[in-house]
Amino acid sequence: MSLPSAYTEAPARRFNVGDRVAVKAANPPGHRRTPHYIRGKRGVIERVCGVFPNPEELAYGFNGEPKRVLYRVRFQQRDLWANYSGSARDAIELEIYEHWLEPA
Amino acid sequence: MKHHHDHSHDRSFDEGPTSEYEIMSRAMQELLIERGIITAEEVRRRMEQFDADFPYRGPRVIAHAWADPAFKARLLADGKRACAEFGLDLEAERLIAVENTPDVHNVIVCTLCSCYPRALLGMPPTWYKSENYRRRVVREPRAVLAEFGTIVPEHVAVRVHDSNADMRYVVVPMRPAGTDGWSEAELARIITRDSLVGVTLPKV
């Protein structure tokens, strides 16, 4: 498999583990890796995954530059679904690119 | 390969009527075969090659983690590096191992397509790719788990991991009671694929 070998650390980043963030409620066209169900929701940075070529560019045959910092963000299920019936501690985690996140 | 997510952009594994993409895919294959550009035999061989390229190796790694707490700690810290140390090259896959504990149960999904730790677990099962699983497990994980026969007690938090971008995930289940003194080979036999996705638990 010949995949981009551009997986690097992310020393220059906007957020750190524990920071409260909100996912942008944007609705741009095209290939996006931010699921609709999480847009506009608030969560907490769980880990920094590193720097990756931007999939929104790779999808259209570009080289993915500039690369983007990818975060793992934890959301509480009860903040996502109005009628969530499970435990108050139930959570969901997703990978969100930095340009989709704002401080919250 | 510019488009490197391991999803297929088809929905041919979903239940329900044949999708537009499935029809297009079949029509294209029939045309290519009819024109003599590919053969059905080549298609079959390529499917077999997927299995050969992505063998199912997860249980050995998890059994080793159960037997060696220091290795488990390294696996949880950096899945790809720990697998490399164990002799498994995950190639481009970045792996996050998530540990089940008495307080947390983990389950993996890819809501956008069917991203799956293929370098570790081989090709994903059909249900993993189904629209039904992908849509529901994020909204009602406890109900979906119950359908797999896994009842998670209220005091245990369910943590769903959406494999929606560049990382891949594997669950490290809890080692069941009654397995003291078992060899890693014996342990590996009770570690099922579904338990590494988090929809079931290993049973003695």
Side-chain angles (χ1 to χ4, degrees), chain B residues 75-95:
Chain B
L75 181 69
L76 295 171
D78 185 337
K80 184 184 175 75
R81 183 173 294 167
C83 286
E85 169 199 327
F86 194 63
L88 301 184
D89 178 9
L90 299 190
E91 301 190 1
E93 281 188 9
R94 291 276 297 257
L95 185 73

Side-chain angles (χ1 to χ4, degrees), chain B residues 171-187:
Chain B
V171 173
V172 181
M174 282 190 287
R175 180 173 176 165
T179 58
D180 290 352
W182 286 27
S183 69
E184 289 186 23
E186 288 168 325
L187 291 170

Side-chain angles (χ1 to χ4, degrees), chain A residues 75-91:
Chain A
F75 302 84
Q76 296 305 311
Q77 288 280 28
R78 289 190 175 177
D79 292 343
L80 303 189
W81 321 108
N83 300 314
Y84 188 75
S85 60
S87 159
R89 291 167 54 237
D90 287 1

Side-chain angles (χ1 to χ4, degrees), chain B:
Chain B
M1 200 163 87
K2 288 167 186 149
H3 193 168
H4 69 288
H5 291 290
D6 50 3
H7 59 265
S8 59
H9 285 295
D10 76 27
R11 300 193 165 204
S12 57
F13 299 93
D14 291 343
E15 296 147 16
T18 310
S19 74
E20 192 180 334
Y21 292 111
E22 187 175 6
I23 294 167
M24 284 190 329
S25 164
R26 284 184 187 172
M28 178 62 81
Q29 184 176 334
E30 282 172 16
L31 278 169
L32 290 169
I33 290 171
E34 192 179 295
R35 301 285 170 93
I37 295 165
I38 62 171
T39 66
E41 172 66 11
E42 281 172 330
V43 174
R44 189 191 60 74
R45 274 209 307 271
R46 188 69 193 88
M47 300 296 281
E48 281 183 358
Q49 190 62 41
F50 277 124
D51 285 334
D53 288 346
F54 301 109
Y56 175 58
R57 309 182 285 192
R60 286 169 48 212
V61 177
I62 302 303
H64 188 52
W66 280 355
D68 180 349
F71 176 76
K72 184 166 81 174
R74 293 196 293 279
L75 181 69
L76 295 171
D78 185 337
K80 184 184 175 75
R81 183 173 294 167
C83 286
E85 169 199 327
F86 194 63
L88 301 184
D89 178 9
L90 299 190
E91 301 190 1
E93 281 188 9
R94 291 276 297 257
L95 185 73
I96 293 181
V98 289
E99 185 183 21
N100 284 352
T101 69
D103 299 316
V104 177
H105 179 86
N106 296 282
V107 59
I108 313 297
V109 64
C110 173
T111 60
L112 293 177
C113 44
S114 57
C115 292
Y116 189 74
R118 293 175 192 223
L120 189 62
L121 299 187
M123 301 300 281
T126 300
W127 59 259
Y128 184 85
K129 297 184 275 193
S130 72
E131 175 116 22
N132 185 311
Y133 177 76
R134 288 159 41 208
R135 189 182 64 248
R136 291 180 55 227
V137 78
V138 289
R139 288 169 173 75
E140 43 176 355
R142 288 170 183 270
V144 172
L145 290 170
E147 289 166 22
F148 280 93
T150 304
I151 310 295
V152 181
E154 184 72 14
H155 69 273
V156 177
V158 171
R159 200 171 285 164
V160 180
H161 300 266
D162 192 347
S163 178
N164 63 309
D166 280 276
M167 316 303 285
R168 298 295 175 264
Y169 297 85
V170 66
V171 173
V172 181
M174 282 190 287
R175 180 173 176 165
T179 58
D180 290 352
W182 286 27
S183 69
E184 289 186 23
E186 288 168 325
L187 291 170
R189 275 199 289 275
I190 61 167
I191 299 170
T192 62
R193 175 197 65 197
D194 290 359
S195 72
L196 300 184
V197 181
V199 294
T200 60
L201 303 173
K203 290 184 179 67
V204 177

